[in-house]
Amino acid sequence: MSTFYKEDCPLTDIRRYLEPGPIVLVSSAWQDKTNIMTMGWHMMMGFSPALFGCYIWEGNHSFEMIRRSKQCVINIPTTDLLNEVIGIGNCSGNEIDKFETFGLTPIPADTVEVPLIEECYANFECHLADASQIENYSLFIWEVVKAHVAILPAWPKTLHYRGEGEFMVSGGSISRHRQFKPQNL
Ligand SMILES: Cc1cc2nc3c(=O)[nH]c(=O)nc-3n(C[C@H](O)[C@H](O)[C@H](O)COP(=O)(O)O)c2cc1C
């Protein structure tokens, strides 16, 4: 087992170690307009129903669109969409149509009035489950009601943000299925 030499880390930097989830693109729609934002701050909050929480800064154009419509789609991009991930996070849907600007294809969803992004390998349709934490924490709690996931590859290369413009790319897998209690699998 390794031992690590450690130094004090500024608390403002801990996010760089705690952001393991993939970067996602959140699509939204309100009053005939669609939008997309890049998002790294999210977490699973329940198995069944499948609950998912995410932080959406109130200064983002997406914030009001999503708060009003109470719907969104969480789309998971792969590494080949890196430039789109950065570009979409650098501009506001108040000024441009991001589907058109970034050449992404909107696909109708099954249960929400928000388009899926065809070029992403997974798309999760979300209904707002709990709005109680939006005012204090900008935390939206969603129920995922429909999930579309590519069959192959099983584990595509996803992007994980490390802060300061650096991304980790998902890599190899280690399987320990037989060592797990069934409820923890
Ligand atoms: C890698 C990356 C991760 C981001 N994560 C978040 C996030 O978790 N929450 C958030 O509110 N904004 C996040 N942003 C910023 C928004 O994507 C950005 O402000 C975007 O321009 C919002 O678009 P909109 O104004 O059209 O909604 C992130 C941006 C990047 C590039």
Side-chain angles (χ1 to χ4, degrees), residues 67-156:
R67 197 178 62 83
R68 286 167 193 267
S69 71
K70 300 183 171 59
Q71 299 183 339
C72 77
V73 177
I74 301 296
N75 306 273
I76 310 186
T78 45
T79 48
D80 50 332
L81 289 180
L82 177 59
N83 289 333
E84 288 78 1
V85 161
I86 298 167
I88 287 167
N90 273 343
C91 62
S92 169
N94 196 19
E95 289 145 18
I96 54 165
D97 176 335
K98 295 199 199 178
F99 275 97
E100 202 179 290
T101 304
F102 294 98
L104 297 171
T105 315
I107 299 285
D110 291 349
T111 71
V112 291
E113 302 297 316
V114 175
L116 318 177
I117 303 175
E118 185 177 32
E119 288 79 4
C120 289
Y121 93 93
N123 318 91
F124 302 148
E125 300 182 17
C126 298
H127 293 199
L128 191 62
D130 185 344
S132 65
Q133 302 305 311
I134 297 175
E135 199 178 322
N136 280 343
Y137 297 107
S138 293
L139 175 66
F140 290 70
I141 301 173
W142 301 99
E143 179 177 350
V144 180
V145 294
K146 175 90 190 177
H148 312 257
V149 181
I151 297 163
L152 283 173
W155 299 114

Side-chain angles (χ1 to χ4, degrees), residues 35 37-41 55-57 60-62 89 91 93 98:
N35 195 21
M37 67 169 273
T38 302
M39 186 175 78
W41 288 14
Y55 168 82
I56 302 176
W57 176 50
N60 287 335
H61 187 60
S62 303
C91 62
K98 295 199 199 178

Side-chain angles (χ1 to χ4, degrees), residues 3 20 44 75 114 176:
T3 45
M44 287 306 300
N75 306 273
V114 175
R176 287 286 185 275

